[in-house]
């Protein structure tokens, strides 16, 4: 459920018309619904209420400070994967003791920064990283809380680019070797082994891969406990899918029931790292039609948003529903590609979509764009990145300004200026 609905012929986000925002802020623009974000967080939080848990939002999905602050206010923490993400989280006021840090390539500087900040734990992805964290913690006279990210070798049945828990993927430590690594961790200085982590992929629409991988991970936890390693946190990662088109992912309650069954008797704190499920359907990308054109074999609707604004269709062939912001009756239907202004044929937001004919100047909503939308946007073709707007009730707030041309060259110099 989300709060983007037509009232009469006009699309609203909560109680604000999308056209009003587009007129005030310009297009393209990302628009987020405060009520939808809140609802999604609370639904997941309630679903896990029977076990101690912490929702660490994966801000790679949506890193806007207003979004981070909202979730922190609801009791959430963060899953970060870089020093920059940690910086964003702290800037939004997220308590460091609610932040976990994953990623296969943490640098010395990033590790030191996270240690200084007092994060909850590092999700460690290799034996070399484990040693590096130990070394840096020992040198700075502190202790690093760690979990090992295990790779359970489970097929999440999703797009291959976003499957992360298969043995051929770069993530985590092979589950068969994990016991050995835990033993090594206990002998290294300045480490406090507190948890275990897994994350098997993204946009997963079935429960079974989650249950299978968690069952394997829990088996390992029991062995670890038997050997005297106290695993207090079981971080089950993110990955729960959403409906972009006709997918039927499990509801938070079904998801929680199935997983809680596997872990309840361990008495550990469950950490969740949802990204997409919290923000995906809480955001849209509003864009304006510039031109329509026909080739001998195709119709095109050229809009002012491109693959630099929303990379998912080009990168993964992802489907995003296209809605008219203002519905009109009596328009014939046209099958067209919705394309952006970028100089590549891969620059499309929708392919072969049958829609009531769009005319230049009309507004279009690219739906389900709240996750991996703005965070994956770029300045390709020297295009300033789009602003972000948060709607709450009948008010809207520009929570990130549109970049200017001056922003595009900030920090650059010609050789004469060096
Ligand atoms: N935890 C870890 C360690 C992750 O790597 C990810 C996502 C998440 C949590 C959150 O996963 P989610 O709940 O959002 O599925 N750019 C792609 C998705 C890449 C996901 C990367 N890792 C897309 O647009 O579909």
């Amino acid at each position: 459920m989300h709060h983007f609905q037509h009232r009469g012929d006009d699309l609203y986000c909560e109680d604000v018309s999308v056209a009003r925002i587009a007129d005030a802020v310009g297009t393209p623009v990302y628009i987020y619904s405060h009520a939808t974000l809140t609802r999604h967080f609370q639904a997941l939080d309630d679903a896990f209420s029977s076990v101690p848990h912490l929702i660490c939002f994966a801000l790679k999905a949506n890193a806007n400070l207003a979004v981070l602050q909202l979730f922190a206010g609801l009791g959430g923490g963060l899953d970060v994967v870089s020093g920059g993400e940690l910086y964003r989280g702290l800037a939004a006021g997220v308590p460091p003791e609610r932040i976990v840090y994953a990623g296969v390539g943490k640098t010395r500087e990033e590790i030191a920064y996270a240690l200084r900040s007092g994060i909850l734990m590092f999700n460690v992805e290799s034996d070399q990283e484990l040693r590096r964290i130990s070394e840096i913690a020992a040198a700075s006279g502190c202790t690093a809380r760690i979990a090992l990210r295990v790779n359970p070798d489970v097929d999440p049945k999703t797009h291959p680019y976003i499957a992360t828990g298969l043995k051929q993927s770069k993530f985590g430590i092979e589950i068969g070797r994990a016991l050995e690594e835990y033993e090594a961790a206990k002998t290294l200085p300045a480490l406090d082994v507190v948890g275990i982590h897994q994350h098997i992929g993204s946009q997963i629409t079935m429960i079974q891969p989650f249950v299978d991988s968690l069952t394997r991970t829990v088996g390992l936890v029991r062995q670890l406990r038997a050997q005297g390693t106290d695993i207090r946190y079981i971080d089950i990662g993110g990955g729960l899918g959403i409906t972009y088109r006709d997918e039927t992912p499990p509801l938070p309650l079904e998801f929680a029931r199935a997983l809680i069954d596997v872990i309840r008797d361990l008495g550990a704190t469950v950490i969740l790292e949802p990204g997409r499920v919290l923000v995906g359907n809480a955001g849209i990308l509003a864009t304006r039609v510039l031109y329509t054109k026909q080739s001998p074999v195709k119709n095109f609707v050229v809009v002012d948003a491109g693959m630099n604004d929303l990379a998912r269709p080009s990168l993964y062939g992802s489907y995003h529903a296209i809605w008219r912001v203002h519905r009109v009756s009596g328009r014939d239907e046209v099958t067209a590609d919705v394309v952006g202004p970028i100089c590549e044929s891969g620059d499309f937001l929708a392919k072969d979509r049958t829609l009531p004919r769009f005319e230049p100047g009309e507004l279009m909503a690219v739906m389900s764009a709240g996750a991996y939308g703005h965070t994956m946007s770029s300045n390709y073709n020297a295009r300033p990145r789009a602003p972000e707007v948060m709607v709450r009730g009948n008010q809207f707030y520009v929570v990130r300004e549109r970049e200017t041309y001056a922003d595009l060259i900030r920090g650059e110099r010609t050789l004469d200026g060096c």
Side-chain angles (χ1 to χ4, degrees), residues 58 60-61 79 81 102 125 149 162 164 171 197 199 201-203 237-240 244 273-277 312 316 318 371-372 376:
K60 56 178 80 68
D79 157 47
V81 290
E125 306 234 10
R149 176 173 181 172
I162 52 178
T164 51
F171 297 100
H197 175 233
H199 169 76
S202 195
Q203 184 53 14
L240 191 54
Y244 284 100
E273 300 176 347
R276 190 186 321 263
V277 72
R312 304 192 70 258
Y316 315 111
S318 311
Y372 306 106
M376 291 176 69

Side-chain angles (χ1 to χ4, degrees), residues 163-206:
T164 51
L166 285 166
K167 60 172 172 288
Q168 60 268 36
S169 97
K170 69 175 175 178
F171 297 100
I173 295 168
E174 180 202 333
I175 196 155
R177 265 195 41 238
L179 270 182
E180 194 184 305
E181 281 309 322
Y182 270 103
E183 282 311 305
K186 285 202 285 188
T187 66
L188 290 169
L191 294 182
D192 186 9
V193 181
V194 296
I196 195 160
H197 175 233
Q198 61 160 58
H199 169 76
I200 57 170
S202 195
Q203 184 53 14
I204 302 169
T205 53
M206 290 177 296

Side-chain angles (χ1 to χ4, degrees), residues 19-349:
R20 191 177 131 209
I21 298 171
D23 288 343
V25 181
T27 52
V29 53
Y30 276 93
I31 302 173
Y32 309 130
S33 155
H34 191 277
T36 312
L37 293 165
T38 307
R39 183 193 166 102
H40 288 174
F41 185 96
Q42 285 175 338
L44 198 61
D45 203 26
D46 289 350
F48 279 86
S49 59
S50 68
V51 289
H53 69 280
L54 176 63
I55 298 183
C56 289
F57 171 58
L59 77 150
K60 56 178 80 68
N62 188 319
N64 188 280
L65 296 189
V67 173
L68 307 186
Q69 188 198 41
L70 165 57
F71 290 150
L74 297 171
L78 290 178
D79 157 47
V80 305
V81 290
S82 70
E85 286 196 346
L86 176 57
Y87 179 81
R88 275 191 168 276
L90 297 174
V94 180
E97 65 276 11
R98 291 193 220 148
I99 298 180
V100 296
Y101 187 172
V104 295
K106 303 176 188 80
T107 65
R108 282 184 188 283
E109 294 72 23
E110 287 174 319
I111 293 167
Y113 175 37
L115 277 172
R116 278 199 310 280
S117 306
I119 64 163
L120 172 57
M121 65 183 190
F122 290 90
N123 288 329
V124 178
E125 306 234 10
S126 67
D127 51 345
Q128 291 183 7
E129 181 195 332
L130 187 66
R131 282 161 182 77
R132 180 154 295 174
I133 293 174
S134 158
E135 194 188 294
I136 295 171
S140 42
C142 59
T143 304
R145 282 176 295 278
I146 60 125
L148 295 190
R149 176 173 181 172
V150 295
N151 183 333
D153 191 24
V154 166
D155 184 357
K157 307 220 168 14
T158 184
H159 191 289
Y161 285 11
I162 52 178
T164 51
L166 285 166
K167 60 172 172 288
Q168 60 268 36
S169 97
K170 69 175 175 178
F171 297 100
I173 295 168
E174 180 202 333
I175 196 155
R177 265 195 41 238
L179 270 182
E180 194 184 305
E181 281 309 322
Y182 270 103
E183 282 311 305
K186 285 202 285 188
T187 66
L188 290 169
L191 294 182
D192 186 9
V193 181
V194 296
I196 195 160
H197 175 233
Q198 61 160 58
H199 169 76
I200 57 170
S202 195
Q203 184 53 14
I204 302 169
T205 53
M206 290 177 296
I207 289 188
Q208 205 53 43
F210 290 108
V211 172
D212 290 348
S213 61
L214 191 57
T215 305
R216 287 185 196 179
T217 300
V218 162
L220 183 61
V221 172
R222 292 190 203 287
Q223 280 177 287
L224 285 166
R225 285 195 172 167
Q227 295 178 4
T229 309
D230 180 22
I231 300 293
R232 283 179 271 151
Y233 297 101
I234 302 185
D235 184 338
I236 65 174
L240 191 54
I242 63 169
T243 304
Y244 284 100
R245 187 180 195 169
D246 49 14
E247 304 89 338
T248 50
L251 295 170
L253 211 53
E254 299 170 83
F255 173 73
R257 277 203 192 116
L259 296 187
I260 289 172
D261 269 356
V262 185
I263 39 177
R264 187 192 301 279
D265 66 312
L266 292 174
T269 297
V270 179
I271 296 180
L272 299 103
E273 300 176 347
R276 190 186 321 263
V277 72
L278 297 186
V279 293
N281 281 322
I284 64 167
L285 173 63
T287 178
R288 206 177 279 279
V289 177
L290 295 171
Y291 308 104
T292 58
K293 60 185 279 188
Q294 290 79 40
S295 81
V297 291
K298 260 197 185 281
N299 296 305
F300 296 100
V301 181
V302 184
V303 296
D304 63 6
M307 65 191 281
N308 74 298
D309 298 299
L310 181 65
R312 304 192 70 258
S314 314
L315 198 53
Y316 315 111
S318 311
Y319 178 97
H320 286 262
I322 302 285
W323 286 11
R324 295 190 63 92
V325 168
H326 180 69
R327 286 199 291 225
V328 283
S329 51
R331 287 269 174 95
D332 55 330
E333 295 216 316
V334 180
T335 301
D337 286 6
V338 177
V339 300
I342 302 264
C343 56
E344 296 208 23
S345 293
D347 177 30
F348 61 89
L349 300 176

